[in-house]
Amino acid sequence: MSAQPNLPFAEKDATLVIVDDEEMVLNSLKSFLELETEYDIQSFTAPEEALQYAASGEPDLIVSDFLMPDMNGIELLRAFGKLHPQAPRILMTGNADKESAIKAINDIGLFQYIEKPWDNDNLLIVLRNALERRFLFKKLQEKIAEIDKAEGKLSGLQNDILRTFI
């Protein structure tokens, strides 16, 4: 296991969805990540199955291949983004698909694209950065909810005080 940087989350708490129609690529990615991280890896060769899983759970990140039959990676990531808008979306693509990947950054809010063949160290950095962003955003949402709750209590207290004096 590689040395873990100081992260705002525990790796074991992160669930990743990986989608690639090529079983060998999928197994390679999954095996590497299981060796190097403590992420919960959910892998799928069919985009539709990945979306069914995403609809029933709360995945933190998705990595998808671009060229797949039935549904390409951009279509999959767009649909995934509707289910989990705050979860980072990463597209893996061959060099020939680079233009489409760059276009997808703006079109679907892509976190990043990674070229195949990928560099393992770079892949880990991208995943950790994406998850760090995801978990920091979760913390921010929790703090905003706490502030809203406290503000509601203060408002109620203020109304009680005003009624006492009126």
Side-chain angles (χ1 to χ4, degrees):
M1 176 113 42
S2 60
Q4 299 298 313
N6 291 330
L7 298 171
F9 64 94
E11 282 191 347
K12 64 183 176 11
D13 296 332
T15 300
L16 277 64
V17 172
I18 301 173
V19 185
D20 197 307
D21 61 310
E22 294 181 44
E23 192 80 40
M24 192 169 81
V25 172
L26 194 63
N27 288 336
S28 175
L29 265 173
K30 185 175 180 176
S31 296
F32 169 69
L33 292 173
E34 286 176 343
L35 282 172
E36 293 295 323
T37 72
E38 296 180 42
Y39 302 143
D40 174 21
I41 309 295
Q42 301 296 319
S43 59
F44 302 90
T45 54
E48 297 82 10
E49 289 176 15
L51 286 174
Q52 286 175 355
Y53 173 80
S56 67
E58 189 66 31
D60 295 299
L61 180 145
I62 183 169
V63 177
S64 175
D65 182 30
F66 177 59
L67 290 177
M68 297 183 288
D70 301 324
M71 180 185 298
N72 70 38
I74 293 173
E75 294 166 336
L76 170 61
L77 295 177
R78 180 178 288 117
F80 184 90
K82 289 177 183 173
L83 293 170
H84 302 286
Q86 304 309 323
R89 296 172 293 280
I90 297 170
L91 185 69
M92 292 192 99
T93 179
N95 288 333
D97 310 316
K98 198 172 184 176
E99 256 183 59
S100 297
I102 292 170
K103 185 177 183 300
I105 290 172
N106 293 326
D107 289 353
I108 63 169
L110 193 64
F111 179 78
Q112 191 161 344
Y113 76 91
I114 297 173
E115 290 185 25
K116 288 182 177 180
W118 65 89
D119 172 85
N120 285 340
D121 291 334
N122 184 53
L123 176 63
L124 285 177
I125 290 168
V126 169
L127 293 177
R128 287 184 176 135
N129 286 341
L131 288 168
E132 180 176 27
R133 178 178 176 256
R134 166 73 166 155
F135 282 89
L136 286 172
F137 191 81
K138 269 187 178 181
K139 272 188 169 179
L140 178 61
Q141 286 179 311
E142 290 167 6
K143 294 297 179 191
I144 289 170
E146 286 176 26
I147 290 169
D148 287 346
K149 185 177 177 181
E151 183 181 40
K153 286 180 181 178
L154 285 174
S155 180
L157 182 59
Q158 182 182 20
N159 289 338
D160 291 345
I161 292 170
L162 289 173
R163 274 185 291 222
T164 302
F165 289 104
I166 295 180

